[in-house]
Amino acid sequence: DLVLTVEDGVVSAPRLGAGASNIQLRARVAGGAAEIERLTSQWGSATIEASGTIPLEALPPLPVEIPRKGGPATVNASVRDLDPSTIPGMPAGVTGRISLNLDASAARADLAALEGRLEFPQLEIALKRLTLAQQEPSQISISSGQATVRRLALTGTAGNVNASGTVGLVGERRVDVKVDGALKVAALS
């Protein structure tokens, strides 16, 4: 068994923008799988928490030989109070608050086997003081190799946007998403 513990860790790289700080991790690698008992971190204003089990078969080749096991994987993760302006590559002037919860599992290391749900308890975006926010949590389900937008409706001073449909995660990766709404021209310029 390999037990990995990180206390008050930091990861910094230009592609990460603000970088991750206050990293707390307790994980164990045994029997060909990594069990993440607890992972917490700060990224800018956001708080990240995660746990799960990942069979090592799902990872790319490692520089050391470790027994790899197939089998089920689980991930439970949450992000709280993410300011989109801290995301590298985000257009200047975009602000807001985003929180999300991910609960996912797979019987084997294959995207077609992935089942889960992504929920946004908080989704608020602003650009040049024009806002879009959800009135109820947005939801995306994952099943049978595709992600389905169950509910995504944003309204505010910038206008309104509704989306529904599916995005393939395997094979041809078909996109069948319908976006409807109206945005003020000032929000687009």
Side-chain angles (χ1 to χ4, degrees):
D1 289 11
L2 170 66
V3 175
L4 178 62
T5 302
V6 176
E7 294 183 16
D8 202 24
V10 175
V11 174
S12 179
R15 289 183 174 212
L16 290 178
S21 62
N22 196 26
I23 299 170
Q24 309 294 321
L25 170 67
R26 177 142 175 94
R28 185 171 76 95
V29 177
E35 181 180 342
I36 301 165
E37 295 172 13
R38 185 176 140 244
L39 170 63
T40 61
S41 177
Q42 292 293 128
W43 185 51
S45 62
T47 300
I48 301 167
E49 297 181 1
S51 63
T53 301
I54 302 168
L56 296 181
E57 176 186 73
L59 300 177
L62 301 172
V64 295
E65 189 61 36
I66 295 178
R68 294 170 166 277
K69 174 181 115 177
T74 61
V75 174
N76 297 331
S78 67
V79 176
R80 297 277 175 265
D81 295 323
L82 173 64
D83 180 347
S85 70
T86 63
I87 299 171
M90 186 63 64
V94 174
T95 62
R97 287 281 174 240
I98 301 170
S99 294
L100 62 92
N101 299 318
L102 171 66
D103 293 309
S105 63
R108 62 188 183 284
D110 181 356
L111 278 177
L114 186 63
E115 302 283 329
R117 185 180 73 169
L118 183 61
E119 184 174 80
F120 294 84
Q122 182 180 36
L123 183 53
E124 304 165 0
I125 305 291
L127 176 62
K128 299 178 184 175
R129 292 187 296 240
L130 294 175
T131 63
L132 285 172
Q134 64 187 9
Q135 303 306 308
E136 56 186 322
S138 298
Q139 294 180 348
I140 298 170
S141 64
I142 304 164
S143 181
S144 303
Q146 67 180 17
T148 302
V149 179
R150 297 277 177 216
R151 178 174 45 230
L152 179 59
L154 305 173
T155 60
T157 59
N160 63 73
V161 176
N162 296 293
S164 62
T166 60
V167 175
L169 303 175
V170 296
E172 295 179 15
R173 298 187 176 165
R174 294 188 64 187
V175 176
D176 183 13
V177 176
K178 177 183 175 188
V179 179
D180 189 23
L183 292 174
K184 293 185 178 177
V185 174
L188 301 175
S189 62

